């Protein structure tokens, strides 16, 4: 199966290592970065969500109206709008983009961050709400008749939308998390299940947990699996590791200054979400795992989001990604620290290597016929 690559659709040039140089929404930079992804082999980009950040939906519409091929992954928190409204927004954006939209639903792993926009539900309550929200959005996308809804979190009557997605039967739904509640909700509702980069053994365990949750929900086809990394590449191994250590030093320096320049603003202290807790625990157990996984970047950020690195030459990082592909991962999320330069370098030097090897393996399996497919599985 072909592998896909997801990048970041940042609205300014700031990162964990670089203070942003201008406004939170820099229209020219947003387009430049998206175009770099489209021109260098990436499949889609993520429009992330933060309580004080620019609204990702109009940013995605802006890019969709100017680029023809790049697909869009729109992050959305259910607490910020009613599902009837959100479903119309998503359908309209799928129309604007000619069917290039996927929606990533964020339950929210930090009470403080959720509370910034008035969300007071407990974590378990948020997962329950997200699952109900996704069910409603899917129904609105695919139902031409008015219907009522009486649920735990939402109630409405006689609703039918007049705008429907281009994609049939609907756009894909993306979901992530590392807790049992996340596996249960995402295993039941997601088309794509998103994980942060962990050692191969732990990633395999999470994939099996997602599959088990999907089976428990009565699904015969589990979600596709996406895994996210922070690649740090250079022409030689020595240069890559020098770059990696400079990166961590820079992260620590900016955090010591107060962290105001980071792309996402995280409350200090111990993380509440299971995914970040796992990243910290892995970092405490060691710095290097498998072929190229490196944890000090995660430790330096306090396990903030996608933060484990893959370090090495393009060939080393490509082989590391293929190790995850062999586990059943077919969507790779990658984001560097120099957002624009790293997107170009990764697209030029890593993506072609991975695609070429995946195509070779797929061709071998196809040539082997049914017996080869059984043996490969």
């Amino acid at each position: 199966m072909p592998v896909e690559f997801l990048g970041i659709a940042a609205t300014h040039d700031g990162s964990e290592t670089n203070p942003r140089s201008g406004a939170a929404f820099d229209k020219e930079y947003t387009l430049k970065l998206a175009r770099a992804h489209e021109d260098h082999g990436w499949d889609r980009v993520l429009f992330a969500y933060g309580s004080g950040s620019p609204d990702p939906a109009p940013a995605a519409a802006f890019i969709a109206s100017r680029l023809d091929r790049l697909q869009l992954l729109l992050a959305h928190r259910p607490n910020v709008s009613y599902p009837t409204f959100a479903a119309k927004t998503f359908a309209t954006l799928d129309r604007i983009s000619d069917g290039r939209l996927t929606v990533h639903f964020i339950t929210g792993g930090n009470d403080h961050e959720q509370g910034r926009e008035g969300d007071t539900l407990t974590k378990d309550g948020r997962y329950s709400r997200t699952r109900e929200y996704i069910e409603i959005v899917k129904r609105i996308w695919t139902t031409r008749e008015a219907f009522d809804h009486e649920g735990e979190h939402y109630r409405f009557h006689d609703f039918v939308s007049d705008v429907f997605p281009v994609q049939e039967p609907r756009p894909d739904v993306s979901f992530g998390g590392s807790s049992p509640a996340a596996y249960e909700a995402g295993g039941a509702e997601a088309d794509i299940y998103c994980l942060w980069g962990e050692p191969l053994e732990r990633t395999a365990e999470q994939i099996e947990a997602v599959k088990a949750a999907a089976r428990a929900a009565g699904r015969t086809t589990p979600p596709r699996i996406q895994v996210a990394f922070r690649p740090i590449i250079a022409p030689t191994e020595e240069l890559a590791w020098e770059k990696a250590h400079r990166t961590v030093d820079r992260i620590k320096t900016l955090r010591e200054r107060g962290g105001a320049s980071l792309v996402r603003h995280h409350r200090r202290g111990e993380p509440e979400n299971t995914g970040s807790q796992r990243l910290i625990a892995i970092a405490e157990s060691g710095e290097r795992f498998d072929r190229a996984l490196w944890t000090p970047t995660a430790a330096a950020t306090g396990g903030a989001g996608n933060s484990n690195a893959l370090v090495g030459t393009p060939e080393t990082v490509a082989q590391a990604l293929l190790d995850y592909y062999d586990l059943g991962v077919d969507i790779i999320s990658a984001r560097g620290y120099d957002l624009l330069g790293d997107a170009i370098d990764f697209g030029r030097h890593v993506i072609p290597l991975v695609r070429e090897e995946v195509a070779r393996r797929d061709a071998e399996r196809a040539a082997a016929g049914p017996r080869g497919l059984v043996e490969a599985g």
Side-chain angles (χ1 to χ4, degrees):
M1 180 181 292
V3 67
E4 297 181 11
F5 288 91
L6 168 71
I8 190 70
T11 59
H12 59 75
D13 60 358
S15 75
E16 294 92 335
T17 60
N18 300 295
R20 78 178 190 224
S21 61
F25 184 77
D26 180 334
K27 186 168 69 172
E28 287 71 26
Y29 182 85
T30 301
L31 179 57
K32 186 177 182 179
L33 181 60
R35 182 170 285 128
H37 282 86
E38 183 172 81
D39 291 344
H40 291 89
W42 298 79
D43 296 287
R44 60 173 59 84
V45 288
L46 167 66
F47 293 82
Y49 191 93
S51 60
S53 301
D55 187 346
F62 167 65
I63 294 303
S65 67
R66 283 159 176 78
L67 300 181
D68 297 325
R69 301 187 308 277
L70 193 65
Q71 296 188 46
L72 317 172
L73 177 58
L74 178 67
H76 181 76
R77 288 182 183 169
N79 60 290
V80 300
S81 68
Y82 216 71
T84 50
F85 175 85
K88 294 184 297 180
T89 299
F90 304 147
T92 303
L93 183 52
D94 199 54
R95 287 277 159 189
I96 292 171
S97 66
D98 295 320
R100 287 181 280 154
L101 179 70
T102 299
V103 181
H104 179 69
F105 290 93
I106 302 173
T107 298
N110 182 283
D111 290 344
H112 181 75
E113 168 68 4
Q114 294 300 119
R116 284 170 167 160
E117 293 188 284
D119 188 6
T120 59
L121 284 184
T122 64
K123 184 177 179 180
D124 287 345
R126 292 198 295 267
Y127 275 112
S128 171
R129 177 182 61 193
T130 299
R131 186 167 179 176
E132 183 178 342
Y133 198 99
I134 294 172
E135 291 170 351
I136 293 169
V137 168
K138 286 180 179 178
R139 187 173 181 185
I140 291 171
W141 280 342
T142 57
T143 300
R144 266 60 177 178
E145 302 293 332
F147 67 96
D148 300 339
H149 179 83
E150 293 281 348
E152 180 182 358
H153 302 281
Y154 301 102
R155 294 178 178 82
F156 55 85
H157 305 284
D158 197 38
F159 180 84
V160 62
S161 178
D162 195 33
V163 56
F164 294 92
V166 170
Q167 298 177 75
E168 293 287 350
R170 57 171 177 77
D172 279 346
V173 165
S174 172
F175 185 91
S178 297
S179 67
Y183 299 145
E184 181 180 357
E189 297 296 338
D191 302 294
I192 298 168
Y193 199 98
C194 307
L195 302 170
W196 290 333
E198 296 187 2
L200 290 165
E201 182 179 0
R202 298 191 185 208
T203 300
E205 291 169 355
Q206 289 212 78
I207 292 173
E208 183 51 43
V210 173
K211 290 180 177 180
R215 290 192 296 269
R219 296 178 61 175
T220 57
T221 302
R224 299 167 66 200
I225 301 296
Q226 173 183 303
V227 177
F229 302 97
R230 307 299 294 271
I232 300 175
I233 62 172
T236 69
E237 295 292 328
E238 181 180 6
L239 289 173
W241 285 104
E242 289 177 0
K243 182 178 178 181
H245 288 289
R246 288 197 308 272
T247 297
V248 167
D249 289 343
R250 185 63 176 161
I251 292 172
K252 291 177 179 177
T253 297
L254 287 193
R255 281 180 66 85
E256 288 169 0
R257 293 176 182 173
S261 59
L262 299 184
V263 172
R264 296 187 182 185
H265 302 276
H266 296 274
R267 193 183 189 193
R268 294 188 182 269
E270 295 299 318
E272 300 170 12
N273 61 305
T274 304
S276 292
Q277 292 169 0
R278 288 174 65 99
L279 293 185
I280 291 173
I282 292 167
E284 290 174 345
S285 68
E287 289 193 357
R288 296 181 65 169
F289 293 87
D290 305 319
R291 195 186 300 268
L293 190 73
W294 196 54
T295 65
T297 46
T301 62
N306 169 23
S307 51
N308 268 341
L310 291 176
V311 182
T313 63
E315 292 77 13
T316 295
V317 171
Q319 287 299 318
L321 293 174
L322 288 163
D323 291 339
Y324 287 89
Y325 177 80
D326 289 339
L327 292 182
V329 174
D330 57 5
I331 303 175
I332 301 297
S333 173
R335 171 165 56 100
Y337 292 94
D338 171 8
L339 299 180
L340 180 60
D342 287 345
I344 293 170
D345 286 346
F346 189 87
R348 283 176 174 168
H349 302 299
V350 178
I351 289 178
L353 295 176
V354 177
R355 290 199 194 280
E356 181 180 357
E357 178 60 19
V358 168
R360 186 191 68 79
R361 294 180 187 185
D362 286 349
E364 286 185 353
R365 289 172 183 152
R371 180 179 177 182
L373 290 175
V374 170
E375 292 174 352

